[in-house]
Amino acid sequence: QVQLVESGGGLVQAGGSLTLSCAASGRTFSPNAMGWFRQAAGKPREFVAGIRWSGTSTLYADSVKGRFTISRDNAQNTLYLQMNSLKPEDTAVYYCAAGSPFILSRATAYQYWGQGTQVTVSS
């Protein structure tokens, strides 16, 4: 069984930065890709960023392009999301996901999900 545990969320002022981490465990953990999604209150879950585990490809939502950076540490089975220039509209619960999606932004293609970590950006 694969487990994903997010950390690093919190409260930050607009313009600030946060780094989210997602630690993966499980004997059979060998995803093709991992991604970050977020869900704001009253809104559907949306794609934030994705990365092929080989590191050969990344994808970002237009709303975060140039401000967020996704990366992974294969040896530690850890996924990161560096978030800079945060805006109040970035406030959401952030989830990491792992699986073998053909399209990185397609949530339904990810098999494993973490519990989420809250990010709140104050204005």
Side-chain angles (χ1 to χ4, degrees):
Q1 187 73 334
V2 174
Q3 285 190 319
L4 303 177
V5 179
E6 302 97 335
S7 62
L11 174 65
V12 63
Q13 288 188 328
S17 299
L18 280 176
T19 300
L20 304 184
S21 300
C22 175
S25 62
R27 287 191 302 173
T28 59
F29 184 73
S30 58
N32 171 270
M34 292 189 74
W36 289 98
F37 292 78
R38 66 187 182 187
Q39 188 167 19
K43 295 186 178 181
R45 190 171 298 189
E46 64 173 0
F47 170 75
V48 175
I51 185 169
R52 297 290 174 193
W53 205 239
S54 62
T56 56
S57 177
T58 58
L59 182 68
Y60 294 91
D62 288 343
S63 59
V64 306
K65 202 171 293 183
R67 300 187 297 122
F68 291 11
T69 302
I70 189 171
S71 62
R72 85 278 180 262
D73 182 332
N74 291 17
Q76 298 295 323
N77 280 350
T78 302
L79 179 73
Y80 301 98
L81 185 68
Q82 173 68 44
M83 306 186 293
N84 298 325
S85 302
L86 283 161
K87 304 175 181 179
E89 50 264 44
D90 294 318
T91 295
V93 177
Y94 283 71
Y95 299 89
C96 73
S100 301
F102 180 72
I103 300 175
L104 287 173
S105 59
R106 186 166 293 172
T108 54
Y110 288 83
Q111 289 79 39
Y112 305 103
W113 291 83
Q115 300 273 38
T117 185
Q118 176 71 47
V119 172
T120 303
V121 184
S122 63
S123 57

